[in-house]
Amino acid sequence: VQPRPLAGRHVIVTSGPTHEPIDPVRYIANRSSGAQGTAIAAALRDLGARVSFVTGPAQVPAPEGVDVIRVETARQMRDAVESALPADAAVMAAAVADWRVTNAAERKMKKDGSGRPPALEMAENPDILAWVSKLNKRRPKLVVGFAAETNDVTAHATDKRLRKGCDWIVANDVSPATGIMGGAENAVTLITAEGPEEWPRMGKPAVARILASRIAKELT
Ligand code: C5P
């Protein structure tokens, strides 16, 4: 039998991409598969946590034994996270779209024969990680963010931890050559108040298990 150090604890995990509609059939998205967030939710569940799994349209199935809340857009994700509070910890692994289209069409857009493409107007989406980190009474004790970088990973992620106000940042190098985005493995640097910790490259489930046990240690 596994020890269940997170029994009685509630953790919110965001995962996957968001989709931002352009019209009823088109959207802006990104290449997040949801694999790392899904593995983290499963690992937290395995340690006994009650997990609220807020997921965008991911490529991998949601884990069993967690509360799955399916969303499409960043704003829906923010609302779902708010509804899931209070929580002991929040792990924001979703690749949230930075911008949404503010002039999305109600009907499918058509070429009008002029040869001129439509102009999309965009606005910044809410930053869910920064918002959760800055909550007062409702702030989870531990807030973990992710940083997908293509260069100067540790420096950018250290800066991001301070800017967003979260406790930890799990940073990874998503340059195409690493094969990490959409792949089976991850090579992460965990940034805490104590500084950076480089973890060896390993499968995403292994990253998830180590992270979950670190979270358990932090909450007990
Ligand atoms: O700097 P960047 O926005 O890429 O930081 C990524 C981290 O912030 C991830 O943990 C991601 O889930 C979170 N995030 C968020 N809401 C956004 C953008 C990013 O929660 N709108």
Side-chain angles (χ1 to χ4, degrees):
V1 231
Q2 275 214 59
R4 290 167 58 85
L6 288 174
R9 306 291 181 155
H10 177 216
V11 185
I12 299 172
V13 178
T14 70
S15 185
T18 63
H19 284 184
E20 306 295 333
I22 295 170
D23 72 12
V25 299
R26 303 184 177 98
Y27 54 82
I28 293 174
N30 61 66
R31 297 185 191 282
S32 165
S33 65
Q36 187 63 80
T38 298
I40 290 167
L44 290 163
R45 169 206 65 197
D46 289 345
L47 297 185
R50 175 165 79 80
V51 178
S52 293
F53 183 65
V54 180
T55 179
Q59 257 138 60
V60 302
E64 308 267 304
V66 302
D67 297 332
V68 183
I69 303 124
R70 292 181 199 281
V71 299
E72 203 178 327
T73 67
R75 291 196 292 177
Q76 289 166 357
M77 185 171 276
R78 193 259 329 267
D79 291 349
V81 168
E82 183 160 34
S83 299
L85 290 169
D88 298 287
V91 182
M92 310 310 232
V96 183
D98 287 322
W99 301 281
R100 67 178 174 278
V101 178
T102 52
N103 61 342
E106 306 230 326
R107 297 178 174 186
K108 186 183 172 196
M109 293 160 91
K110 304 268 189 210
K111 287 183 277 193
D112 64 4
S114 73
R116 280 193 304 272
L120 298 182
E121 287 162 25
M122 303 183 95
E124 213 168 287
N125 267 329
D127 189 318
I128 305 165
L129 173 61
W131 165 74
V132 166
S133 299
K134 280 158 201 159
L135 289 171
N136 291 319
K137 264 177 61 185
R138 290 184 301 163
R139 187 190 193 280
K141 184 178 171 221
L142 182 68
V143 180
V144 183
F146 278 69
E149 309 285 354
T150 55
N151 56 285
D152 303 309
V153 176
T154 301
H156 284 147
T158 300
D159 183 60
K160 185 164 297 182
R161 179 181 165 277
L162 296 175
R163 235 174 336 106
K164 301 253 188 181
C166 58
D167 301 295
W168 299 351
I169 286 271
V170 180
N172 54 11
D173 185 343
V174 293
S175 334
T178 64
I180 282 171
M181 202 152 197
E185 294 193 327
N186 210 346
V188 314
T189 302
L190 179 69
I191 318 267
T192 71
E194 270 73 63
E197 238 178 73
E198 212 172 306
W199 296 4
R201 188 172 174 125
M202 59 187 110
K204 288 180 178 177
V207 169
R209 282 191 294 271
I210 297 173
L211 186 66
S213 61
R214 288 288 290 264
I215 291 171
K217 233 200 261 166
E218 196 69 19
L219 293 183
T220 49

